Amino acid sequence: MIKEKILVLDFGGQYNQLIARRVRECNVYCEVHPYNMSLEKIREYNPMGIIFTGGPNSVFGDDAPLVDKELFNLGYPILGICYGCQTIAHLNGGKVSHADKREYGKTIVNVDVESKLFKYVSKETQVWMSHTDFVSKLPAGFKIVANTPSCPVSAMENVEKKLYAVQFHPEVNHSLEGMQMLKNFVYDICGCSGDWKMDDFAKTTIETLRKKIGDGKVLCALSGGVDSSVAAVLLSKAVGKQLTCVFVDHGLLRKNEGDEVEAVFGPNGPYKLNFIRVNAQERFYAKLKGVTEPERKRKIIGEEFIRVFEEEAKKIGAVDYLVQGTIYPDVIESGLGKSATIKSHHNVGGLPSVVNFKEIVEPLRLLFKDEVRKVGLELGIPDYLVYRQPFPGPGLGIRIIGEVTAEKVKIVQDADYIYREEIAKAGVDKSCNLGQYFAALTNMQSVGVMGDERTYDYAIALRAVQTSDFMTADWARIPYDVLDIISRRIVNEVKGVNRVLLDCTSKPPATIEFE
Ligand code: XMP
């Protein structure tokens, strides 16, 4: 049982996950729910305090997301951020106006250090602003506690009603003392003690799963990625041989990856799982023959994956529980976001309708990626699996531009292997803080010369990015001498390649993967 919880009400801001993260960094448990969560549900949730996120709307817009005013009378401490601040002002009788110009970026605010929110914060402190609307008239009972020349109500409070609001974003790193402000809110204003820790997670989850599942039968689609691996190990510790893991090798994995997964999770590995490896390479290559359009490739791989899994599941028969490695960012993104579909992501989300089961279990549903990794290490999963970079469900299928063939898979696997090996050798993954890096096979052939012979071969593109959330990314500046070794090795060792290109585009405007 979690004693102290903070509730983040999401108004559609970009930083909703980050706010939850920051609160958890204060060792206080926290969840994000939609802004229109009912008062009844909020009471039931019983938070120590509530944070309103920012959002893209104007409070006076036609379908502006707003909360029930009654929420302000329930005695919960509330902190409004950006749009959340404007919501508090608007619903409490203040006025919000529209500025001609957007205020965006680093700003120095003068804060009232007597305010509980700004305890230990400097009188003049740098914060991050990103808004057009602003509070132009203070609501009755409120006091200004931070200002700038262009934003007179940068922060306001009504101590009696425990309402606090900031126009800026304390959760982002550019707000240099923002973390202190959030600590002040959760500890001093909400009264949390900060005793929530990850350590107990594995132990309590295993016990809870064991009780819940009893002698039921459990099925897990294991990809070898950190999320499904951690979920599978938790389940196996809870119910042992009642769990069966199905690992579909679609022939689009990195070099040796299928064998690595089998070595850890297969019959000779430390976990002694019921492990079924399906070698379905040929099926996938056959389906992908002649297909070049990226979205079609993604759909075909996703659908074929489900077909293979379904066939295996049928052999096992009806199961009671299906395990999914869903993690918290997936929950937030799929449940609340309204963003445009740039790529149709493939993951095990499509499985439930094809498998006969009673219930889905998602033991990692409330954890962020780094929290999942901590649990993985605690469970003794090898470092190289725990710290594996993210790998897309459609695998190399979307790192081969144009038609996928077995020959092209081999080329990209070999090039990628060399790339990763040299990056590790030079320690560049750490020194350049790489979030993700891989080789892709362009669909371009060009002329080269090798040993006096003309060649007409493919070009490999090297991608490496720095990113914290994979939503935006900067291309990484890998040292030239390391690139030189990588390029020479790839051209010399990988048959069919005569040119190596470096992708120096950030996201946006590019994406991390090529398709
Ligand atoms: P993009 O290419 O959209 O990728 O910038 C962002 C992150 O998502 C990963 N990615 C996927 N992950 N299924 C996944 O599980 C997919 O279909 C998929 N497509 C992209 C990508 O590797 C990067 O980390």
Side-chain angles (χ1 to χ4, degrees), residues 17 227 325-335 347:
Q17 286 190 38
D227 305 340
T326 320
I327 68 169
Y328 202 42
D330 307 333
V331 175
I332 300 181
E333 271 164 31
S334 58
N347 51 33

Side-chain angles (χ1 to χ4, degrees), residues 228-303:
S228 67
S229 301
V230 172
V233 173
L234 277 173
L235 260 301
S236 90
K237 297 231 178 215
V239 299
K241 291 283 184 194
Q242 288 158 245
L243 168 74
T244 303
C245 292
V246 175
F247 168 57
V248 178
D249 186 342
H250 51 21
L252 302 165
L253 298 170
R254 286 164 290 200
K255 186 168 172 166
N256 302 339
E257 197 167 18
D259 296 342
E260 280 170 18
V261 172
E262 185 168 353
V264 176
F265 298 106
N268 302 321
Y271 301 109
K272 311 257 176 300
L273 302 182
N274 276 331
F275 175 87
I276 300 173
R277 174 173 177 175
V278 193
N279 288 316
Q281 295 87 333
E282 296 311 323
R283 277 180 71 156
F284 281 85
Y285 297 158
K287 286 271 170 189
L288 289 167
K289 197 168 183 324
V291 183
T292 54
E293 209 276 310
E295 277 299 288
R296 265 203 74 211
K297 282 162 66 176
R298 281 175 167 272
K299 292 256 157 63
I300 289 171
I301 298 168
E303 274 165 27

Side-chain angles (χ1 to χ4, degrees), residues 298 343-347 390-394 398-399 436 470 507 510-515:
R298 281 175 167 272
K343 300 176 182 185
S344 47
H345 271 216
H346 157 107
N347 51 33
F391 187 64
I398 56 168
R399 293 181 182 172
Q436 202 169 1
F470 299 89
K507 170 184 178 177
T511 54
I512 296 174
E513 302 288 348
F514 282 59
E515 292 195 331

Side-chain angles (χ1 to χ4, degrees), residues 30 32 63 213 239 259 321 327 352 407 411 431 433 442:
C30 170
V32 183
D63 50 2
I213 292 168
V239 299
D259 296 342
Y321 299 92
I327 68 169
E407 181 212 356
I411 292 178
S431 64
N433 191 21
T442 71

